[in-house]
Amino acid sequence: MADVEDMFDDEPAGRRFSSDEEEDESRNLGTRRRRQNSGDEDATARRYDDDDDDDEDEDEDEEDDRDYKKPQAKKGARRKRPRTNNFLDIEATVDTDEEEEEDEDGALGDFIVDNEEELATAEKDALRQRAAARPPVFQDDETLDADAIEAQLRERYSGYVASGGRGTGSQIDADWVPQRLIIPGINDPHLWVSRCSPGKERDIVLAVGRRVLQWASSGKYKGVYSAYTRSGLSGFIYVEARTQADALAALEGIPGVFTSKLTLVPINDMIDVVKVKTHTTRLNPGSWVRVKRGNYAGDLAQVASVIESSDAVEVRLLPRLDYSADGRRDKRARPPQRLFSVEEAQKADSRSLSSRQNEILWKGDRFINGYLHKDMRTVSLQTEDVNPTLEEIALFAAGETGEDGDEQAAIAALASQATKASSALEGIDEANGLTVRDLQPGESVEVVEGDLAGVAGVVRSIDGDVVRVEPELGAQR
Amino acid sequence: MASLVPKDKRQLRACLICGIVQNHHTFRDMGCPNCEVHVKMARHNDMVTDCTSGTFDGVMAVFQPKKSWVCKFAHVSSYRPGIYASHVSGRIPEDVEDALARAGIAYHPRDGSADD
């Protein structure tokens, strides 16, 4: 009968399962973790064990274990007798199975045996899932505070993290607690605030950092946990410490800090200090900005494209070029805004002139459709309250349609080829979807906002940002 | 470990994954002390450009990350002491995010774009 019993035993995992059950003192998930990690040399799981959990967490876990252990205990006991299954009533079949197995024949016998094993694994999996999915409500204790929740979440989800090659002493956060649960408690250090010279906040944080980290071994600053500042809080420097004396020790002597103004931040205000609100103005292609400094200061510009993972964007400007030879320019007066003129550029300095696809390069600047395209850092652009006036937009858009003027005609010829190329390019580059420039007359569109929402129509013409759409018959109300 | 604080005031960049602030050349030469195992930045300048950002805010000097509430709130409490930014603009490229996910690490953008 030894063969039969082997059949009922699952693969080695099953055997380990039973032995673990007896030895296992820690959390149920620890069992799962151990099984997972048997093949891996990873200290991560063990590290979670070592984490400083509160005592109350241990107690809660014991309770969990008691709950979780029940199905396992049952299974262990059951292993002695012929296996029963929660899903199927096969007790009868079991007996017949044994007889058939002795025949060493019968495809039917094999079939049932295989099913047995699969069902057994499935049953185990289901029990495990049920146990793991048990909601915290079932734990009989009062409200858990943030620390306890964090520890539970961490432990519950720790088994889900595959073992990676984690560096010693540092790891990428595998358990993320949402900020709204991280409320300062009475055991957390206090936050102290001091005034300082505006603009020097970061320098001060760096100076405090250097000082504390340098003297870390001396223990002089062991009461300090962090130093912090934020650009919205100009002139303020924050230090996290248990006592005012500790905070003072960290700050005094650093130039620019007014330690006489050191006060405690009330607990309720602590979150406001650290929480940063995102900039709502995200620069998208097509948005209007104003150049802050330089030759084009104050000029309206349009974002042509956003440069990935950098704080810069490519903007379109009406060029202010001085085509006359250098030296004659009055340093004070700026050249007026005018589209780029190939002829004048040629007259002035033809050697610097070259063209590439639809771009014209002259004196190091890029011109597309007569507009200057420049990469500029976001900080040097005014993105809020740009408020472009009608005149400015009209002036800007005049270049698109290419009206009267000889030079314009020359550009228009270039432009017509350029527009097609650039709109095709933009269609590829566009990360955020189609812009108005991608639309061609004749395309079908649908209105999404406003009282005409839902109306489908055909594009008749495009004029800068405005698209003229002729609604389809029958869609009108 | 004297170079926990960047020496140069210019060219400061923050890692998009862990938020540590270092000089650009430090990222280029030595990578990110917390993330280097998963995101190889050392001697890969394009990775440095993709996975760090020059736009960051909320600069904090971290001395005791595990015990500090500020660090817990800014999600840096599992990292080494150093200078960090609580808010970093930008996101890592998708392929890096996928690579991290395959290693079992969830990427949480530090620019406030995710729901917290």
Side-chain angles (χ1 to χ4, degrees):
Chain A
M1 284 305 150
D3 292 329
V4 173
E5 273 168 34
D6 282 342
M7 273 189 295
F8 287 109
D9 260 337
D10 296 333
E11 45 284 326
R15 261 173 281 233
R16 211 187 310 134
F17 198 65
S18 57
S19 62
D20 272 353
E21 199 184 298
E22 286 142 33
E23 300 159 1
D24 190 16
E25 289 297 332
S26 62
R27 310 149 191 134
N28 172 47
L29 288 167
T31 316
R32 181 151 39 108
R33 226 184 295 134
R34 216 165 294 156
R35 222 180 312 133
Q36 274 184 355
N37 290 334
S38 61
D40 316 332
E41 264 88 41
D42 188 40
T44 320
R46 263 167 267 139
R47 202 184 294 127
Y48 281 117
D49 288 350
D50 294 338
D51 258 353
D52 29 314
D53 289 334
D54 303 336
D55 280 340
E56 59 171 330
D57 293 338
E58 303 277 344
D59 292 337
E60 279 148 14
D61 300 331
E62 304 294 336
E63 290 170 347
D64 289 355
D65 278 333
R66 261 178 263 128
D67 284 342
Y68 296 159
K69 273 206 175 138
K70 280 192 221 122
Q72 296 166 27
K74 261 195 280 181
K75 279 171 70 60
R78 256 195 264 145
R79 200 154 290 170
K80 306 274 169 61
R81 355 178 233 111
R83 175 166 290 275
T84 55
N85 194 295
N86 280 354
F87 300 117
L88 297 178
D89 175 23
I90 51 164
E91 259 176 304
T93 8
V94 164
D95 294 330
T96 24
D97 212 19
E98 293 171 23
E99 288 168 357
E100 285 184 15
E101 261 310 302
E102 281 175 314
D103 293 342
E104 284 205 11
D105 212 359
L108 193 60
D110 285 344
F111 173 70
I112 294 177
V113 164
D114 288 347
N115 257 4
E116 279 282 341
E117 291 193 22
E118 286 174 29
L119 286 167
T121 1
E123 180 192 357
K124 229 165 28 100
D125 285 332
L127 279 166
R128 200 192 316 141
Q129 277 172 26
R130 252 184 273 152
R134 217 166 287 249
V137 178
F138 284 92
Q139 288 154 18
D140 49 301
D141 46 6
E142 36 320 290
T143 46
L144 309 167
D145 73 328
D147 283 336
I149 294 175
E150 181 193 352
Q152 266 186 20
L153 284 171
R154 182 180 298 188
E155 158 211 326
R156 188 181 301 161
Y157 294 117
S158 58
Y160 286 77
V161 177
S163 57
R166 297 234 172 107
T168 50
S170 70
Q171 59 188 72
I172 295 185
D173 222 347
D175 19 75
W176 190 268
V177 186
Q179 273 192 338
R180 64 176 189 274
L181 291 180
I182 310 179
I183 304 165
I186 34 170
N187 291 327
D188 288 320
H190 295 293
L191 197 60
W192 304 89
V193 60
S194 179
R195 300 300 304 260
C196 66
S197 314
K200 290 254 178 282
E201 300 91 4
R202 279 197 190 175
D203 299 332
I204 294 171
V205 169
L206 292 180
V208 175
R210 231 171 279 132
R211 171 195 275 188
V212 172
L213 291 169
Q214 214 166 11
W215 295 100
S217 45
S218 78
K220 184 172 172 193
Y221 297 107
K222 64 173 168 18
V224 185
Y225 296 86
S226 66
Y228 179 78
T229 186
R230 221 180 72 200
S231 60
L233 312 161
S234 173
F236 290 95
I237 182 102
Y238 294 86
V239 177
E240 197 180 0
R242 295 218 177 261
T243 69
Q244 189 167 14
D246 288 331
L248 195 61
L251 286 175
E252 67 185 346
I254 295 186
V257 185
F258 312 135
T259 49
S260 53
K261 303 263 182 71
L262 187 69
T263 57
L264 179 67
V265 175
I267 262 194
N268 293 330
D269 297 345
M270 278 173 76
I271 294 188
D272 291 326
V273 168
V274 190
K275 192 156 175 85
V276 186
K277 283 214 189 85
T278 17
H279 312 283
T280 37
T281 40
R282 201 157 285 187
L283 277 185
N284 292 317
S287 345
W288 296 108
V289 294
R290 257 181 226 286
V291 183
K292 279 188 191 167
R293 291 176 281 260
N295 196 21
Y296 295 91
D299 283 359
L300 187 70
Q302 192 176 38
V303 178
S305 67
V306 177
I307 303 175
E308 277 283 325
S309 53
S310 146
D311 50 354
V313 289
E314 186 191 352
V315 292
R316 242 167 39 131
L317 287 157
L318 276 173
R320 283 183 189 267
L321 294 169
D322 183 20
Y323 297 103
S324 56
D326 282 348
R328 231 185 301 167
R329 183 152 83 89
D330 178 5
K331 292 276 155 57
R332 226 61 77 68
R334 278 197 298 180
Q337 284 178 300
R338 263 196 335 181
L339 288 175
F340 178 69
S341 153
V342 193
E343 283 142 354
E344 289 193 52
Q346 245 173 349
K347 269 190 288 176
D349 186 359
S350 63
R351 269 173 305 145
S352 311
L353 189 63
S354 68
S355 88
R356 186 181 62 179
Q357 292 182 315
N358 46 312
E359 283 180 4
I360 302 174
L361 302 170
W362 188 61
K363 283 195 176 174
D365 292 326
R366 269 187 310 143
F367 297 94
I368 302 178
N369 288 357
Y371 291 93
L372 169 64
H373 281 241
K374 232 166 121 70
D375 292 347
M376 301 191 73
R377 263 171 288 124
T378 318
V379 290
S380 55
L381 292 168
Q382 180 195 344
T383 51
E384 308 246 8
D385 299 327
V386 175
N387 297 332
T389 65
L390 278 173
E391 293 96 25
E392 286 177 306
I393 301 186
L395 190 64
F396 212 91
E400 293 256 25
T401 46
E403 288 156 284
D404 36 286
D406 287 324
E407 48 198 53
Q408 302 277 16
I411 295 170
L414 280 168
S416 57
Q417 303 162 348
T419 327
K420 279 190 226 135
S422 71
S423 61
L425 267 176
E426 272 168 353
I428 298 166
D429 289 348
E430 206 59 52
N432 300 331
L434 292 177
T435 59
V436 169
R437 257 175 299 286
D438 282 333
L439 284 180
Q440 302 286 339
E443 277 193 52
S444 319
V445 291
E446 184 183 313
V447 181
V448 290
E449 267 185 298
D451 15 296
L452 290 175
V455 172
V458 178
V459 177
R460 282 284 163 247
S461 66
I462 306 177
D463 185 14
D465 262 358
V466 178
V467 180
R468 287 202 132 73
V469 176
E470 182 184 304
E472 281 174 353
L473 291 172
Q476 280 182 334
R477 287 194 214 139
Chain B
M1 277 284 200
S3 57
L4 287 175
V5 178
K7 298 212 165 57
D8 195 356
K9 238 181 61 177
R10 308 160 299 141
Q11 289 281 329
L12 286 176
R13 294 188 75 90
C15 172
L16 287 167
I17 303 168
C18 66
I20 197 170
V21 172
Q22 293 184 141
N23 295 117
H24 188 122
H25 58 76
T26 316
F27 277 115
R28 205 183 48 226
D29 300 334
M30 306 204 297
C32 171
N34 296 312
C35 314
E36 195 61 19
V37 184
H38 302 275
V39 183
K40 306 258 179 295
M41 283 197 238
R43 291 177 293 281
H44 289 103
N45 208 20
D46 46 343
M47 273 299 245
V48 176
T49 332
D50 284 343
C51 300
T52 65
S53 165
T55 316
F56 52 87
D57 194 13
V59 176
M60 62 175 95
V62 170
F63 310 125
Q64 305 191 40
K66 291 207 190 346
K67 299 196 189 149
S68 157
W69 172 81
V70 173
C71 297
K72 189 156 63 158
F73 194 80
H75 303 294
V76 293
S77 46
S78 50
Y79 302 129
R80 305 171 194 216
I83 309 290
Y84 287 82
S86 67
H87 195 92
V88 189
S89 287
R91 289 186 70 122
I92 51 174
E94 273 193 37
D95 49 324
V96 178
E97 191 169 348
D98 290 340
L100 285 176
R102 276 198 298 273
I105 295 147
Y107 165 63
H108 298 275
R110 290 186 176 267
D111 60 356
S113 57
D115 249 349
D116 234 356

